[in-house]
Structures are given as C-alpha cells and as structure tokens.
Amino acid sequence: MQFVALFVIIISLIAIAYRDLKAAMISLAAILLAALAFYYLSPNETAVSKKNAQFISAIELTSATISQGYADGFVLDLRIHNGNRDTTVQNLTVLSRLSDCGESQENCLVIGEDRSVIKLRVPPGQARDARVNLRIKKLNPIQGSPLWEHEIVGAR
C-alpha cells in the first residue's frame, strides 16, 4: 500500500515538474514536512509497549488447573482478575509451558508450549473464569514431575 502511494506521489511530482518546476519543489517540501510531522507526532513503540506492559501487569491469572483433554491435548481452567481501574480486558494471549522436572524444581526442561487466545470480557476490578484447550504436539513421555507455567504475553 505504501508503494502505491509513493508511486502516485512520484508520478504527480513528475507531472507538476514538467509544467512548473517551482510548484513541484514546493509540493515536495510540503510532503517531506508532512512526513516528518507524522513521524514525530505518532506514538513510538517503546511508549506503546510500556503502556501495554502496565496494562498486562495489572491482570492476574489464578486458580489454574490442568486436566487431560481430547487425544494428546489438555484443558486449562483458570480465573482472570482484571486489576486495571478503568480498562476492560477484551482478550488475552496466554503462553502455557509444560516442563519436565527431575527431583527438584530447579532442573526443569521445557518439553512443550501452547499459545492460546482467550476472548473474554473482564470489566475493571472484576474476575471471570475461562477454559482453554491446549494442544502440545509431539509430547515426549515425562520422566520426572510435570510443571505447568502460564504467562500473559498479550492483552487488549
């Protein structure tokens, strides 16, 4: 889409320059100024990511339980608490990791992951229960004890 717009601008400037070089230069300067203003006035990625990180940090996952699902899948039941004061959670992206731990919880090896999108409205200061089907492909048999970890990686 940007290439089409750029192509149209270039063709327009060539057509204007053919008739009036001064008008073409003024048009080019106006386009460059508009592009610079757009660049400096648009929110940068770090500001957006900081705001999103603050939004995500106020969301809490509790009461997470895992049960066997269909075929080689699992079912994750959890409660989502929205600790934000004024923003409703529309959906969450949760990364679930299954680790195979030996005798201690320190030597764990991640053997599977699943990224799930939970579409659920949670108003500010409230909680909702959710159920998600997890599918981990090519899961090797667990040698030690399983350890599940769930992390919010995205929210809207």
Side-chain angles (χ1 to χ4, degrees):
M1 184 68 185
Q2 290 97 354
F3 291 117
V4 173
L6 186 61
F7 182 72
V8 168
I9 291 171
I10 289 171
I11 296 298
S12 300
L13 286 175
I14 291 173
I16 293 171
Y18 182 72
R19 293 185 183 153
D20 186 9
L21 184 62
K22 186 176 180 181
M25 289 301 163
I26 292 172
S27 299
L28 179 62
I31 290 170
L32 288 176
L33 284 174
L36 284 173
F38 179 75
Y39 177 76
Y40 283 111
L41 295 178
S42 63
N44 60 11
E45 273 187 39
T46 55
V48 171
S49 63
K50 281 183 182 179
K51 186 176 180 181
N52 198 24
Q54 291 172 348
F55 177 64
I56 289 174
S57 67
I59 302 169
E60 193 177 346
L61 302 177
T62 60
S63 305
T65 58
I66 294 286
S67 58
Q68 190 66 40
Y70 297 108
D72 57 348
F74 298 91
V75 176
L76 169 63
D77 291 302
L78 60 108
R79 178 163 286 185
I80 302 166
H81 293 273
N82 182 4
N84 290 293
R85 292 183 186 161
D86 56 354
T87 308
T88 299
V89 174
Q90 300 291 333
N91 63 43
L92 290 176
T93 303
V94 177
L95 178 65
S96 298
R97 286 190 190 96
L98 174 59
S99 299
D100 186 2
C101 298
E103 294 176 9
S104 67
Q105 298 290 330
E106 297 169 6
N107 284 339
C108 295
L109 178 66
V110 175
I111 60 173
E113 291 184 335
D114 184 58
R115 186 178 299 253
S116 305
V117 176
I118 303 171
K119 294 184 179 182
L120 182 69
R121 287 180 53 89
V122 184
Q126 295 185 19
R128 298 286 187 270
D129 292 329
R131 174 173 275 189
V132 180
N133 292 313
L134 304 176
R135 184 141 173 105
I136 299 176
K137 298 180 180 180
K138 298 181 182 177
L139 182 63
N140 295 327
I142 297 175
Q143 305 290 325
S145 60
L147 174 67
W148 284 94
E149 296 174 302
H150 311 287
E151 175 187 0
I152 300 172
V153 293
R156 287 187 0 172

